[in-house]
Amino acid sequence: MGCSSTALGEAPRDDQACSGRGDCLNGTCLCEIRYSGDECSAFNLPYHAGVSSIFYFVALVSLIQLLICIVAEYQRLKQPSFLRACRLTTQKLLYFFVFVAALLRGAYFTTPEILQPVWASSLMSAYYPLLMTCASLVVCLWAEIFHLRDIRWEKSQFLSKSFLGFMAFNLLPYSLLAAEVLFSQLITDRNTYSHIFNGCYAALLLIVVVFFLIYGVEVFFKVRGGFVYDYGNLSSTQNVNASQLHQSRFGLLSQAIMLIVIVGFLTSETLGDFWKKKVPVYSRNWHDIVFRLVEVGVALWFPCCLWNSMAPEQLWILNPKKLLSRQIEPVASSSQGTAKATEEGQAALLKKDCWICYDPDKTEPLIQPCKCTGDVSSVHHECLRRWLVESCSKSDDVLLKCKVCDAPYEVKRTSKLDWEKGFTVQHWAKTVILVTLMCITGASAWVIIQLYVDPIVRVLTAGFAVIIGYVCVKLLGENTFTAYQRAKVSSINIVTSELDVTEKLNTICQDVTCN
């Protein structure tokens, strides 16, 4: 039994033709790739079996890698213990979440006729929170590698400083998933709420992609960024492992592109009611095939990049120091030697500390840039400059003076600004978010204006778009100006004489002796 068309070669646009799953052409249903039959009422089992087998393969590979990782860690222990071998590490957690994500997606395509529609929709969406967990875990790992330079990443370990941020962010997608499961049991119109949740997943995944690119570029494209202490010792490229460098850059860009494609596909699914019935069925089939291939690619990326389960320190994704052919040790700055006091009690009493860092072991000489005396008279040059950079505002002339004694700092300005310290990761993150918001606002306004002919709706939409655009441009300008101020303050040198601690101590000792 076929379908009926209104005219030869013209497909009806109502939802009744071909069960709403295909186009009617000359009395024959051309079904979407997921369905088959004369009326497109049955599922295309070969398609579902092929896709599910691929996801099951990814799940099997991840499970094998997880077991190998546990066994390898068990064998490395001096006192073997299964519980210690199963301790939580970033590598094991990535294996586990990829295994669960691929297993759930494979289960969805295995049982299209068994699962009820409400559970099928929830099982379909469970893939995206797990995917965001894996990507955000990598982002947090790279962030710690970039910011916490004292941590040695040659050994497998889990997050430290960024753990709370990782948990707080992942609370959002799993809360959305729980809400979607709840709505699927209470609301019969599944299309409406599924589109809303797909849009939310797309927005969260876009945030992950932005930070994935920010820290990935800082660590793997700016080779000196997150793991080299002495910038001057890496003047040539002979210290960089070219093979590891190319692997890291290719892996970073490939995953970022696939994640961006998934964001685009989720957005298209959110707006599916507006375009799916307006394009031919073969275009929708290509859309579905490419979507599935990219989903497989994103899941398969993690086992491929984490291929060495027995030696995680050899993986560029977990240990970016592999990009260096040899280890570069931190170089301590030179300092002037100070004379010791004759008595230990007097030395402890008269010792000067930096009023910013209070680090007595720091070898950088102290300076006295203002008229302050006592505990706030001494400071390290780099500490003071960093403090000025962090507290800089629009009026740097007021900033460059002591807030205690109100004495202006004598500074030496240079014509070359320190753009690296001005345009930080936080600055680029704000810039990307604001530009993305402006693009989304403009695109959304254009879509609404094209869909609705009511002049009131169009005027309100354009007005809101202009207001949001104005706010974004204003914030973008302030953010850029602040970055410029940071770069400007970072390039100054505070001109002052170093504290002669030895002379002062000797003078005090002589006074005490005379008394």
Side-chain angles (χ1 to χ4, degrees), residues 252-437:
L252 170 69
L253 292 179
S254 61
Q255 181 71 331
I257 292 173
M258 288 189 292
L259 289 174
I260 292 174
V261 171
I262 286 187
V263 171
F265 276 117
L266 285 175
T267 305
S268 67
E269 290 294 324
T270 304
L271 304 175
D273 291 340
F274 297 100
W275 66 270
K276 280 193 173 182
K277 292 302 179 181
K278 299 179 181 179
V279 299
V281 66
Y282 63 84
S283 297
R284 302 201 297 270
N285 288 340
W286 274 111
H287 174 274
D288 192 275
I289 292 173
V290 174
F291 196 3
R292 300 297 164 238
L293 290 177
V294 174
E295 285 183 340
V296 172
V298 170
L300 191 60
W301 182 85
F302 291 98
C304 290
C305 293
L306 299 169
W307 61 272
N308 197 339
S309 306
M310 302 182 66
E313 68 277 1
Q314 300 296 325
L315 300 172
W316 61 266
I317 186 176
L318 298 179
N319 182 24
K321 289 186 179 181
K322 286 298 297 177
L323 271 66
L324 300 181
S325 300
R326 63 181 179 85
Q327 183 68 31
I328 298 179
E329 299 295 337
V331 178
S333 59
S334 60
S335 62
Q336 296 181 350
T338 57
K340 295 183 179 179
T342 56
E343 297 181 6
E344 185 177 355
Q346 288 183 347
L349 180 64
L350 300 174
K351 187 177 181 181
K352 292 287 186 179
D353 289 332
C354 173
W355 62 268
I356 294 179
C357 68
Y358 288 99
D359 186 2
D361 299 327
K362 196 170 183 178
T363 56
E364 183 182 352
L366 296 171
I367 62 174
Q368 187 171 354
C370 60
K371 299 179 181 179
C372 290
T373 58
D375 294 338
V376 294
S377 62
S378 307
V379 67
H380 294 126
H381 184 276
E382 287 300 321
C383 292
L384 179 58
R385 184 163 61 177
R386 186 171 63 250
W387 180 80
L388 292 174
V389 169
E390 295 299 330
S391 59
C392 66
S393 59
K394 296 182 180 179
S395 55
D396 62 332
D397 294 334
V398 181
L399 175 68
L400 298 179
K401 65 179 182 179
C402 180
K403 294 185 177 181
V404 179
C405 66
D406 207 31
Y409 295 132
E410 184 179 354
V411 298
K412 180 180 179 182
R413 300 181 183 272
T414 59
S415 58
K416 184 178 180 180
L417 301 181
D418 194 348
W419 295 111
E420 184 177 357
K421 293 183 180 179
F423 290 87
T424 59
V425 175
Q426 291 80 3
H427 164 78
W428 288 117
K430 293 179 182 178
T431 302
V432 171
I433 292 174
L434 291 173
V435 173
T436 303
L437 181 59

Side-chain angles (χ1 to χ4, degrees), residues 146 149 224-226 228-235 420:
F146 180 77
R149 301 188 178 185
R224 302 175 179 85
V228 179
Y229 292 88
D230 185 20
Y231 289 46
N233 285 355
L234 201 61
S235 58
E420 184 177 357

Side-chain angles (χ1 to χ4, degrees), residues 46 56 68 101 153 173 184 317 333 374 422 430 434 473 499-500 503 515:
Y56 280 140
I68 294 176
W153 294 98
S184 65
I317 186 176
S333 59
K430 293 179 182 178
L434 291 173
V473 170
L499 287 178
D500 193 351
E503 181 179 354
N515 291 335

Side-chain angles (χ1 to χ4, degrees), residues 66-87 89 92 156 309-310 312:
L66 176 60
L67 295 177
I68 294 176
C69 180
I70 294 175
V71 172
E73 190 163 345
Y74 179 84
Q75 294 175 349
R76 286 195 298 265
L77 294 174
K78 295 181 179 179
Q79 296 180 352
S81 171
F82 180 75
L83 293 178
R84 292 179 60 190
C86 294
R87 67 185 180 90
T89 62
K92 295 190 187 78
S156 298
S309 306
M310 302 182 66

Side-chain angles (χ1 to χ4, degrees), residues 142 145-146 214-223 226-227 320 323:
W142 290 348
I145 291 173
F146 180 77
I214 289 175
Y215 283 108
V217 169
E218 288 290 341
V219 175
F220 298 109
F221 276 81
K222 299 179 181 179
V223 181
F227 46 88
L323 271 66

